[in-house]
Amino acid sequence: MANVPFYEKPWILVVPAVVMINLLTIIPTIYGWYVSFFDWSLYKPPTFIGLENFYSLIFQDSRFHEALLNTLVMAGGALILEFILGLSTALLLNRDKKGFGLVRVLVILPLIISPAIIGLMWRTMTDVYYGLFNYFLSFIKLGPVLWLANTAEARTAIILADAWQNTPFVTIVLLAGLRSLPHEPFEAAEVDGASKLQQFKELTLPMLKPIMTVAVIIRALGAIQLMVVPFLLTMGGPSYTTESISQYGYTLAFSYAKVGAAAAMTQLVFIIILVGSLLLIRASGVFKR
Amino acid sequence: MKLKGIAWNIFLFVSVIVVVIAAIFPIFWLFLLSVKQGIDQFSLPPKFIPWLQFEPTLDHYTYILFKRGNINTIFNSTIVLLLAVPSSTLISSLAAYAINRFKTGGTGLRFGILSLQMTPPIVAAIPIYLIFKFLGLLDMQATLALVYTTIFLPFGIWIMEGFFDAIPREIDEAALVDGCSRLTALVRVVLPVALPGLVATAIFISVMCWNEFVFALVLTNVNKTVPILAGGTEGADQMYWGEMGAISSIIMIPPLVFAAYISKYLVRGLTFGAVKS
């Protein structure tokens, strides 16, 4: 490319993207770090306090600890549910039957909807007296559940909501994975007399491992960011037991106007996520192309 | 033997029905709620069939649409979308082309893009809020559009890379042989071939812009976008389910319209790079 003018060189194509990403993500993140060293309120001039934000967050802020716990519990529960359901559904749909195209379209719908709607949706269905969940539960003689008033039930509701929205993602990805598996090993196993269950355990699962890992990583990253559904369904209640870390960050910054602490918290969380996912990716041995 | 086959098929059939119902039912339920009035909203057993079981009404929709500036909100969402989607699609396509054809930026760039996707929105939202507050640019559609353009770049690049991957380099080469400069080759030859990919990316990004909540919440106040409306229906004592249904339906319908189209490309887009097919 020696005699090519600069506007013909490939990197020029990448410049707009890089510039924007730098301007609107990298620079704000660096600024976020800067802010986190201050006692920065929106209503008075900021004062430098060094690592005090971080110190009080890690060692003293029980609401932060609670948020961490909540996020882990809810994201973890949702992940487990999504993968169990997603794998089952993918196995179910891994057939060339007529009409499955339509089924696949219908099954995707939860993904396309704004999480904000899911919050509303669930609010109507988890109502104690008139909600559908309790109504259906009454058929199997299970008493009315105080969905949003108790910790375990509220977290369950959020797990269910998140799983409802994101299981289709797992289903689609795993379905694509299943469809891409080669036939020969299965035919050979069939000839050798292996049962369907054995085929599943020894062939399907191992071969699916790479794509499952990718799906887990993507979903885990998504689940940790959980904010919209709890925000609209439980407002973090009851008593902060469904408050996710993103939500706490938002509340710190905009309800309590403690932007410094909020910046510290979000940067901290981001580092944890970054390191955690890098370790995960490394450990799983799956390289993204 | 035959009986076992039939039983299995019935089981499959029922399972599929269950799955589909589980996926669609809440959406369907919200639509129902949006046209029910008064006591019908709350009655159990729930009423499903309009005109037979209850009198449907459009009152909730008219109330929502004409209530203090909700039309403006829909307008805002549309403007943000119209600004952000073409920009994001274009910029990410250019970058994707360079990355795919020339490996521009190597692993460093890839990593940068990846870490962008790993960021929870709130991490960037707080500093961005401060910066734009300082600049006096809060609560403007252009600001939100700018932010959206950026945050959907990684996704756009990911999808477009897949599409460019599927376009053989011979096409580029042929164009060059015919005397095109690299840029002309891209614009006049490769892009038309990649058009389905561009459309798919644009539609995906549109849906994500429409549904986005966190940045909209942080960066707007009066000029809010549609998903924020969802948070405005909290009645302290009364349950405004009809209105919640109506708002939800309004928010849900545009993405749902594209559902069939999206599902076609969703698999391709999601699994490129994850599945070696």
Side-chain angles (χ1 to χ4, degrees), chain B residues 150-228:
Chain B
T150 314
I151 58 182
F152 295 131
L153 282 179
F155 182 77
I157 294 181
W158 185 24
I159 301 255
M160 282 315 295
E161 252 200 289
F163 278 100
F164 282 129
D165 217 33
I167 299 179
R169 289 166 188 244
E170 284 76 47
I171 297 193
D172 299 38
E173 313 284 328
L176 285 178
V177 163
D178 281 350
C180 291
S181 67
R182 283 242 175 233
L183 200 60
T184 325
L186 169 63
V187 171
R188 288 175 131 233
V189 177
V190 178
L191 278 188
V193 176
L195 197 60
L198 288 174
V199 176
T201 309
I203 292 192
F204 277 131
I205 298 185
S206 302
V207 171
M208 295 197 291
C209 280
W210 180 264
N211 287 342
E212 205 280 335
F213 188 81
V214 179
F215 279 104
L217 181 67
V218 169
L219 293 175
T220 66
N221 188 11
V222 175
N223 279 329
K224 50 190 172 221
T225 58
V226 171
I228 312 290

Side-chain angles (χ1 to χ4, degrees), chain A residues 95-106:
Chain A
R95 275 150 241 276
D96 280 317
K97 298 256 172 123
K98 279 187 301 182
F100 269 22
L102 177 65
V103 169
R104 258 175 259 136
V105 174
L106 292 177

Side-chain angles (χ1 to χ4, degrees), chain B:
Chain B
M1 287 307 154
K2 197 117 187 270
L3 195 61
K4 200 170 164 193
I6 296 182
W8 180 242
N9 275 325
I10 295 185
F11 173 70
L12 282 182
F13 182 69
V14 169
S15 308
V16 173
I17 298 275
V18 166
V19 167
V20 172
I21 291 187
I24 307 191
F25 182 71
I27 302 175
F28 178 59
W29 180 245
L30 275 182
F31 279 127
L32 275 183
L33 272 184
S34 69
V35 290
K36 287 187 187 173
Q37 48 187 342
I39 202 76
D40 294 325
Q41 299 171 37
F42 309 111
S43 60
L44 296 171
K47 303 183 175 169
F48 291 115
I49 312 175
W51 289 290
L52 276 181
Q53 289 179 315
F54 65 90
E55 261 313 301
T57 172
L58 287 178
D59 284 348
H60 299 300
Y61 284 103
T62 39
Y63 177 71
I64 290 294
L65 283 176
F66 294 122
K67 177 173 126 162
R68 27 183 195 103
N70 285 353
I71 295 263
N72 273 337
T73 309
I74 299 181
F75 180 68
N76 286 333
S77 270
T78 316
I79 297 243
V80 169
L81 220 136
L82 289 178
L83 287 176
V85 171
S87 336
S88 203
T89 312
L90 185 67
I91 296 182
S92 58
S93 302
L94 292 180
Y97 181 74
I99 296 181
N100 179 258
R101 293 300 197 233
F102 308 107
K103 302 206 192 333
T104 323
T107 0
L109 187 61
R110 277 194 183 286
F111 179 72
I113 296 178
L114 185 65
S115 54
L116 184 59
Q117 275 185 300
M118 290 201 267
T119 326
I122 196 74
V123 173
I126 297 179
I128 289 184
Y129 172 81
L130 290 175
I131 295 177
F132 279 113
K133 181 168 183 251
F134 174 73
L135 293 174
L137 291 176
L138 281 183
D139 214 12
M140 287 168 54
Q141 296 98 337
T143 316
L144 201 56
L146 193 65
V147 174
Y148 280 179
T149 307
T150 314
I151 58 182
F152 295 131
L153 282 179
F155 182 77
I157 294 181
W158 185 24
I159 301 255
M160 282 315 295
E161 252 200 289
F163 278 100
F164 282 129
D165 217 33
I167 299 179
R169 289 166 188 244
E170 284 76 47
I171 297 193
D172 299 38
E173 313 284 328
L176 285 178
V177 163
D178 281 350
C180 291
S181 67
R182 283 242 175 233
L183 200 60
T184 325
L186 169 63
V187 171
R188 288 175 131 233
V189 177
V190 178
L191 278 188
V193 176
L195 197 60
L198 288 174
V199 176
T201 309
I203 292 192
F204 277 131
I205 298 185
S206 302
V207 171
M208 295 197 291
C209 280
W210 180 264
N211 287 342
E212 205 280 335
F213 188 81
V214 179
F215 279 104
L217 181 67
V218 169
L219 293 175
T220 66
N221 188 11
V222 175
N223 279 329
K224 50 190 172 221
T225 58
V226 171
I228 312 290
L229 285 181
T233 55
E234 292 197 48
D237 300 317
Q238 261 200 300
M239 299 180 291
Y240 298 107
W241 285 9
E243 273 122 48
M244 284 161 80
I247 290 192
S248 305
S249 305
I250 294 177
I251 304 183
M252 284 197 291
I253 289 180
L256 286 180
V257 163
F258 292 104
Y261 188 87
I262 291 181
S263 83
K264 185 169 153 208
Y265 286 104
L266 191 68
V267 184
R268 272 187 84 180
L270 281 180
T271 58
F272 261 121
V275 173
K276 305 282 176 272
S277 47

Side-chain angles (χ1 to χ4, degrees), chain A residues 22-169:
Chain A
N22 269 302
L23 272 186
L24 276 125
T25 340
I26 311 231
I27 293 188
T29 309
I30 299 179
Y31 187 57
W33 275 106
Y34 175 71
V35 171
S36 64
F37 294 124
F38 286 74
D39 176 17
W40 196 303
S41 152
L42 294 175
Y43 304 115
K44 62 182 189 6
T47 37
F48 183 78
I49 52 172
L51 292 173
E52 202 182 301
N53 277 327
F54 293 97
Y55 182 80
S56 53
L57 266 180
I58 302 180
F59 296 110
Q60 294 166 348
D61 193 344
S62 60
R63 191 164 158 187
F64 174 55
H65 302 150
E66 172 102 56
L68 273 178
L69 179 70
N70 297 337
T71 311
L72 275 174
V73 166
M74 296 194 288
L79 264 181
I80 297 177
L81 194 58
E82 283 160 27
F83 271 87
I84 298 180
L85 289 179
L87 186 57
S88 321
T89 317
L91 288 169
L92 184 65
L93 294 181
N94 188 21
R95 275 150 241 276
D96 280 317
K97 298 256 172 123
K98 279 187 301 182
F100 269 22
L102 177 65
V103 169
R104 258 175 259 136
V105 174
L106 292 177
V107 159
I108 280 199
L109 296 189
L111 270 176
I112 313 186
I113 297 188
S114 174
I117 307 295
I118 313 238
L120 289 189
M121 214 184 247
W122 244 248
R123 224 198 288 161
T124 65
M125 296 199 289
T126 56
D127 187 85
V128 181
Y129 297 116
Y130 304 110
L132 288 179
F133 283 172
N134 283 346
Y135 176 67
F136 288 132
L137 281 179
S138 69
F139 282 149
I140 38 180
K141 297 284 193 302
L142 287 175
V145 176
L146 295 174
W147 285 103
L148 303 184
N150 293 328
T151 301
E153 286 85 338
R155 286 181 180 163
T156 311
I158 294 189
I159 291 180
L160 287 177
D162 192 73
W164 182 82
Q165 174 157 54
N166 289 301
T167 306
F169 173 81

